[in-house]
Amino acid sequence: MLKELQFSLSITLLFACGFLYQFLLRSSCFFSCLMPFKFQQDPEALLSHGRGIVFVETSERLEPPPLVCCAVESAARVYPEQPVAFFMKGLNSSTQLPSNSSYPAFSLLSALDNVFLLPLDMKKLLEDTPLYSWYTRINASTQAYWLHVSSDASRLALIWKYGGVYMDTDVISIRPIPQENFLAAQSSRYSSNGVFGFLPHHPFLWGCMENFVEHYNSKIWGNQGPILMTRMLRLWCKLGDFQGLSDLRCLNLSFLHPQRFYPISYPQWRRYYEVWDRDLSFNDSYALHLWNYMNKEGRTVVRGSNTLVENLFREYCPRTYRDLIQGPEGLVTRKLGPGNK
């Protein structure tokens, strides 16, 4: 009698588990109920080794456009053993999203093993930094370029606190960056702040945060971003022009050649949206910054256009291309040829 009862209970439990699985799989709860476990991570624990890849979204947007999705996916693929942390202002610990069909990009990123979607709490982030007093007294509604300025502040504090590599959300990774403490040149003697990497608590970043506050002027685009990085680089180092394709070195800081991230300069940004020139080589690049800020025309990735950006999506963020660009027909891969990666 006891054995029959145990057998009946086992069968009942098995059916119950199967029913629950089917219910979660078909219901809108599947996405929203599982998601909190993925983004309720402690940034301190996640990024404590100083090897994370960091992205920031300072708008309230929760559904990233395809280019943002590609940037994050490509980093996750190039750095499979490192956490990729995407800090989003619109996210908090109680966020519930309706369904994965309503948020396909968010769903795609959350499914990547080493991608973590984290709330961006600027007040908490900026505590114990020179930026805290500035942030607590500033009126964001009166600031020109606030989304950019708040992003500039957040990236400095994040990399100072946790270390790792910061990337803008229009940067497509193509191979690992070998340097630890570096700035990226977008032209000779002029630094970008779209990509940079440092070990935790590096004094250069502390100086950047102090300079940010001392020379704060939100009316000048980039004053707290690339202009700040360039100002600080000139105070930190006395660098000349690049010789050939060699990077420059000063103390424990590397200033990486424009070819590493900016083989296409900002006046030529439309080349990314033109038919792929097979003679264009990215052999000397670690990632490509697509200058999305310049894209006032709203150019996008078009399936079957054979543009450079479409081929980059195919190669370096295939899931984004399949799910957000190509649609349900499936992915047909076409690799970039030798000399074009």
Side-chain angles (χ1 to χ4, degrees):
M1 182 65 180
L2 182 59
K3 289 183 178 180
E4 291 177 355
L5 181 60
Q6 290 176 334
F7 178 76
S8 299
L9 289 173
S10 299
I11 294 297
T12 302
L13 182 62
L14 185 63
F15 275 104
C17 289
F19 175 79
L20 179 62
Y21 174 77
Q22 291 295 326
F23 173 76
L24 288 174
L25 194 62
R26 294 176 182 177
S27 74
S28 61
C29 178
F30 177 71
F31 181 66
S32 59
C33 291
L34 290 184
M35 278 312 305
F37 295 101
K38 188 71 185 286
F39 63 66
Q40 285 179 355
Q41 291 281 336
D42 177 15
E44 193 79 41
L46 183 67
L47 302 173
S48 61
H49 299 294
R51 299 176 62 247
I53 311 299
V54 174
F55 295 91
V56 171
E57 174 61 69
T58 52
S59 76
E60 298 289 341
R61 180 175 62 189
L62 283 174
E63 176 64 357
L67 180 54
V68 174
C69 204
C70 183
V72 177
E73 182 192 350
S74 66
R77 288 166 58 85
V78 169
Y79 305 94
E81 303 302 321
Q82 297 167 234
V84 177
F86 190 6
F87 288 87
M88 306 177 75
K89 185 175 183 292
L91 201 59
N92 60 62
S93 59
S94 61
T95 301
Q96 295 288 310
L97 300 181
S99 70
N100 53 348
S101 60
S102 302
Y103 290 81
F106 194 100
S107 176
L108 187 157
L109 294 181
S110 69
L112 300 176
D113 289 342
N114 61 328
V115 171
F116 299 86
L117 309 174
L118 305 169
L120 176 62
D121 182 343
M122 283 192 65
K123 187 174 182 180
K124 182 178 180 181
L125 170 64
L126 301 183
E127 287 178 354
D128 304 319
T129 77
L131 297 171
Y132 185 75
S133 61
W134 159 81
Y135 181 74
T136 53
R137 70 173 184 265
I138 205 78
N139 182 355
S141 64
T142 65
Q143 304 302 298
Y145 309 115
W146 176 249
L147 289 181
H148 301 280
V149 169
S150 57
S151 177
D152 292 334
S154 297
R155 69 188 71 177
L156 289 172
L158 283 165
I159 302 302
W160 182 79
K161 283 192 170 185
Y162 305 122
V165 174
Y166 168 82
M167 294 185 185
D168 274 353
T169 52
D170 58 347
V171 173
I172 297 178
S173 297
I174 59 179
R175 58 176 57 86
I177 304 168
Q179 286 82 0
E180 285 185 326
N181 300 311
F182 71 89
L183 295 176
Q186 64 183 47
S187 61
S188 184
R189 303 194 187 198
Y190 194 84
S191 179
S192 159
N193 76 329
V195 186
F196 61 90
F198 287 91
L199 295 173
H201 298 160
H202 195 285
F204 181 85
L205 293 181
W206 186 266
C208 284
M209 292 188 286
E210 291 180 327
N211 196 284
F212 182 110
V213 177
E214 183 180 353
H215 296 279
Y216 181 71
N217 186 346
S218 70
K219 295 180 181 179
I220 303 174
W221 186 90
N223 191 61
Q224 275 62 53
I227 298 174
L228 165 66
M229 289 296 205
T230 303
R231 277 199 309 267
M232 287 301 299
L233 180 64
R234 291 171 181 172
L235 290 174
W236 194 267
C237 302
K238 295 187 183 298
L239 297 176
D241 293 325
F242 290 97
Q243 301 298 317
L245 289 173
S246 298
D247 301 321
L248 299 178
R249 184 86 178 160
C250 170
L251 302 176
N252 66 343
L253 173 65
S254 295
F255 190 40
L256 303 188
H257 193 281
Q259 283 292 318
R260 306 295 176 242
F261 303 99
Y262 299 98
I264 295 178
S265 61
Y266 78 87
Q268 299 178 311
W269 68 270
R270 290 181 182 84
R271 292 184 68 184
Y272 284 112
Y273 296 92
E274 295 172 355
V275 173
W276 175 28
D277 178 359
R278 292 174 181 267
D279 293 329
L280 188 61
S281 169
F282 301 124
N283 285 341
D284 300 306
S285 302
Y286 303 135
L288 304 175
H289 196 156
L290 270 63
W291 303 106
N292 194 52
Y293 178 74
M294 302 294 295
N295 187 9
K296 308 301 184 184
E297 304 161 15
R299 298 194 180 198
T300 59
V301 183
V302 178
R303 182 179 64 180
S305 61
N306 195 33
T307 55
L308 174 56
V309 69
E310 186 194 17
N311 282 280
L312 293 173
F313 269 58
R314 286 177 181 270
E315 177 74 4
Y316 300 109
C317 54
R319 293 181 65 171
T320 298
Y321 183 77
R322 179 192 66 201
D323 294 354
L324 304 184
I325 305 299
Q326 193 171 45
E329 298 176 9
L331 176 64
V332 179
T333 59
R334 180 196 299 171
K335 288 185 176 292
L336 292 175
N340 290 281
K341 289 188 178 179

